[in-house]
Amino acid sequence: MKAAVLRALDQPLKLEDVKIPVPGPEEVLIQVMACGMDAADMMILSGFGYVPKLPHVLGHETAGIITAVGDQVTDFNPGDRVAVYNYFYCGKCVYCRVHREQLCIHMSGILGILERPGGHAEYTVALAHQLVRVPENVAWHDAAVCCDAGITAFHAVDRGGVRLGETVLVIGIGGVGSMVTQICKASGTRVIVAVLDEERGRRALEMGADHILYSRHVNVPEAVRELTAGLGADCVIDVVGVEETFTYGMDTLRRGGRLVLIGYTPERYPLKGEQLDQNELNIIGTRGGRLSDLNGIVRLVAEGRIKSVVTDLFPLEEANEALAFLRSGRALGRVVLLTPSGRKAMGR
Ligand SMILES: [Zn+2]
């Protein structure tokens, strides 16, 4: 099979012929149709964050069709359409038992990120208990991005305890921000989106945002207070997570408000204890999502309640071109690679 292989950090991926993997007793073999590519892939390529053993195959937004199942697999069959939950969770530890699989302490890998080769290939392998069924009406590229952009957004909105009638400030409108905006709207909240430029402002409006703030030109906390009778936002969901956004995100919260941090950098954030305590603010971390969050976002997409956040498709064979496009900063939404089978299935 063809795979885009990472042989050395900071070097182009190599399109190689490699052996089709063989699934273990509890695993399935998946013919990949579509797999996203995002900032996490760029981070891994440059050696920041997760450091996989090389050679490695990236790809942590994978959707496809099961072609073989291990002896002990009973819930899935060849021909099933699936999206892959990235965490190879144990199913038995204290976190798995309460269905917080992304916090599993005996994880044996993360698809396309650590230990396990991902979906930038024609086939990949996952444990059967990592799979979520994908209805026929969901396009392959949309199913793929549920596995990271979608699940991350769904879980973050849940972590933020976002409720009907509240006002949420979303900072950043790439793939994840687009998903967060739509999920908040589907939850009956008013959504204000902070963006850098007009192109992204238009994008946020397309995703259903009620108000756009250009963070280079306005004082975001003041502007949000003007829109909320002087109170501030009930919840801020910071998809960017740099010092500047953290600071204005905190300053935007109303008393008792919640700040959910999705994005982050290696730096520490400046935290004012007085501001935190006197206003009873909450800072909430979020990691990917639970298996149930992946089910949730696939369901919302299948019901037609979430518009596609995929803006650019590339053939698997042009993985390096897709990377260059991502690095250029021109991607307004999610970038997805299609395998030859995926292109055929989608008539492209
Ligand atoms: Zn576990």
Side-chain angles (χ1 to χ4, degrees), residues 27-83:
E27 295 176 338
V28 303
L29 179 66
I30 299 156
Q31 182 179 31
V32 178
M33 294 288 160
C35 185
M37 182 181 260
D38 69 359
D41 294 310
M42 289 195 288
M43 273 161 54
I44 293 168
L45 268 158
S46 60
F48 168 62
Y50 295 106
V51 183
K53 273 186 216 128
L54 301 182
H56 180 65
V57 177
L58 295 164
H60 57 277
E61 286 192 317
T62 311
I65 295 176
I66 296 177
T67 55
V69 302
D71 296 346
Q72 292 169 31
V73 174
T74 53
D75 298 347
F76 289 92
N77 293 298
D80 288 350
R81 293 164 56 96
V82 292

Side-chain angles (χ1 to χ4, degrees), residues 89-96 104-107:
Y89 67 94
C90 77
K92 294 170 187 155
C93 74
V94 289
Y95 297 105
C96 286
C104 174
I105 47 180
H106 301 304
M107 215 176 266

Side-chain angles (χ1 to χ4, degrees), residues 4 20 36 40 47 84 86 93 119 125 199 223 256 274 326 336 338 341 348:
I20 294 177
V84 186
N86 289 318
C93 74
V125 158
E199 200 175 24
E274 184 184 4
L326 271 175
V336 173
L338 295 177
S341 308
R348 283 170 186 267

Side-chain angles (χ1 to χ4, degrees), residues 11-27:
Q11 295 298 314
L13 300 167
K14 291 214 162 101
L15 194 75
E16 295 181 5
D17 275 309
V18 299
K19 273 193 184 153
I20 294 177
V22 177
E26 296 176 349
E27 295 176 338

